[in-house]
Amino acid sequence: MPWLSYRKALNRALADELARDPDVFVLGEDVRVAVSTVTAGLAGRFGSRRVLDTPLSEQAFTSFATGAALAGLRPVIEYQIPSLLFLVFEQISNQAHKFSLMTGGQARVPVTYLVPGSGSRSGWAGQHSDHPYSLFAHVGVKTAVPASPTDAYGLLCTAIRDDDPVVVFAPAGALTVREDVDFADLTCVPLGTGRVRREGDDVTVVAIGHLVWDALAVAEELAGDASVEVFDPRTLYPFDWDGLAVSVAKTGRLVVIDDSNRSCGIGGEILATAAEWLGLTTAPARVTRPDGAVLPYAAELDRAVQPSRAQLVNAIHRVLKDGGVRAV
């Protein structure tokens, strides 16, 4: 079977949806020359009316996409930098997101907001390295953070077909991931459906986005001493609480690793909900960026601010020890 890279999965999803539905179109800065490679080849195949380069004004073309969606089209916006979402947060959360709710479902705003390379990239520094997915989950905008190429393909296809706005974060740390897949088996992945990446009995680790691969590596490292289950939620809103409940019912213990800032982050929400409803046998733990983190330019400092495998190992040690079971 052929290899599928994460970037190519996003590209294939865009191409398949453009071919399937003539109402779909892609817009953003430099999408015709495919600066991010995600839109490579689309302009030549689908033409300038469906792959649109925009002026350097995120507020303008994000609002334009809302109007186009209200008129019956299905825009897909590519943002080159995750922090640009701060500029358009009002357009997404207060306008596009609310039209359907405020009109009793009479208006539909099927816009997909794609962020290829969210989070930290080498040397991109403070204003280009944020991971603001918790903001969108907080206000109720559908939010996906796929970890693998097949999920990147499937969740992006689903987002484009959805009648509500959907933000798709493609983490920089996942862009180099490749999978051995049969292209004929690629399919849409429902929003709100998590996935157990590795079965385990002692502790559940919820890993967001690219951190799934770190969690799997840690689970393998600790395999001789602890049985770690790795749960990948895939979407943060809606969140698969039922899927997580099944996992936690088995393990009784929970650790979350989340590459966003600690205060008011999705990691804290997962822990709070689990503590309220899921019958934990010991206090949960989370591994995140620090409070108010701004990633520095220096590579060593950049890595020091991000959640690490060593921190995850320590968190797993802690919940196992506190739970009175075999500690590693």
Side-chain angles (χ1 to χ4, degrees):
M1 291 190 292
W3 285 98
L4 179 66
S5 72
Y6 195 108
R7 282 189 178 90
K8 186 62 178 177
L10 295 174
N11 177 263
R12 178 176 284 267
L14 289 173
D16 286 354
E17 291 305 299
L18 284 162
R20 185 189 65 84
D21 186 347
D23 289 334
V24 175
F25 70 99
V26 178
L27 68 157
E29 294 158 2
D30 298 321
V31 293
R32 290 181 60 78
V33 296
V35 167
S36 70
T37 74
V38 169
T39 56
L42 299 182
R45 181 176 173 187
F46 296 101
S48 60
R49 297 189 64 182
R50 300 188 65 199
V51 183
L52 309 178
D53 277 339
T54 63
L56 196 68
S57 176
E58 281 72 26
Q59 291 99 327
F61 63 72
T62 300
S63 293
F64 167 79
T66 301
L70 286 167
L73 300 177
R74 291 184 176 272
V76 181
I77 303 176
E78 182 197 275
Y79 299 99
Q80 293 183 0
I81 300 166
S83 301
L84 296 173
L85 291 172
F86 298 137
L87 294 177
V88 298
F89 189 72
E90 196 277 337
Q91 284 92 341
I92 298 173
S93 64
N94 198 41
Q95 303 298 331
H97 169 53
K98 293 181 179 178
F99 274 121
S100 176
L101 301 170
M102 295 174 68
T103 62
Q106 295 179 79
R108 300 185 307 167
V109 189
V111 185
T112 301
Y113 311 96
L114 174 62
V115 190
S118 61
S120 175
R121 287 176 283 184
S122 177
W124 284 64
Q127 291 184 325
H128 299 77
S129 304
D130 292 287
H131 238 156
Y133 40 66
S134 296
L135 292 176
F136 294 95
H138 173 74
V139 298
V141 176
K142 294 175 181 179
T143 305
V145 192
S148 68
T150 51
D151 283 343
Y153 176 92
L155 287 167
L156 182 53
C157 287
T158 298
I160 294 170
R161 299 182 191 188
D162 199 285
D163 285 337
D164 293 320
V166 184
V167 187
V168 179
F169 289 87
L175 291 182
T176 58
V177 174
R178 299 168 69 89
E179 283 183 305
D180 193 12
V181 300
D182 184 344
F183 291 159
D185 291 338
L186 290 173
T187 187
C188 291
V189 173
L191 300 176
T193 303
R195 176 181 178 184
V196 174
R197 295 278 183 174
R198 179 186 175 113
E199 299 278 352
D201 298 311
D202 291 335
V203 58
T204 298
V205 172
V206 177
I208 310 299
H210 65 290
L211 294 172
V212 164
W213 308 109
D214 290 296
L216 289 170
V218 166
E220 180 64 27
E221 175 186 337
L222 300 180
D225 300 296
S227 177
V228 178
E229 180 147 305
V230 178
F231 183 79
D232 174 6
R234 302 198 285 194
T235 59
L236 304 184
Y237 191 89
F239 193 93
D240 186 5
W241 297 113
D242 291 338
L244 180 59
V246 171
S247 179
V248 171
K250 178 171 55 172
T251 66
R253 302 166 191 86
L254 178 64
V255 175
V256 179
I257 183 166
D258 163 29
D259 185 34
S260 63
N261 291 1
R262 189 173 185 86
S263 290
C264 305
I266 192 67
E269 178 60 30
I270 296 169
L271 262 60
T273 301
E276 286 180 327
W277 301 109
L278 301 188
L280 297 174
T281 60
T282 188
R286 56 183 155 156
V287 179
T288 68
R289 296 183 183 184
D291 278 333
V294 176
L295 267 60
Y297 170 76
E300 293 82 1
L301 296 176
D302 175 285
R303 287 191 293 271
V305 175
Q306 297 178 62
S308 68
R309 293 183 185 181
Q311 291 172 319
L312 179 57
V313 169
N314 289 336
I316 292 171
H317 285 179
R318 188 163 70 253
V319 298
L320 291 178
K321 181 178 179 181
D322 291 347
V325 298
R326 55 197 174 113
V328 293

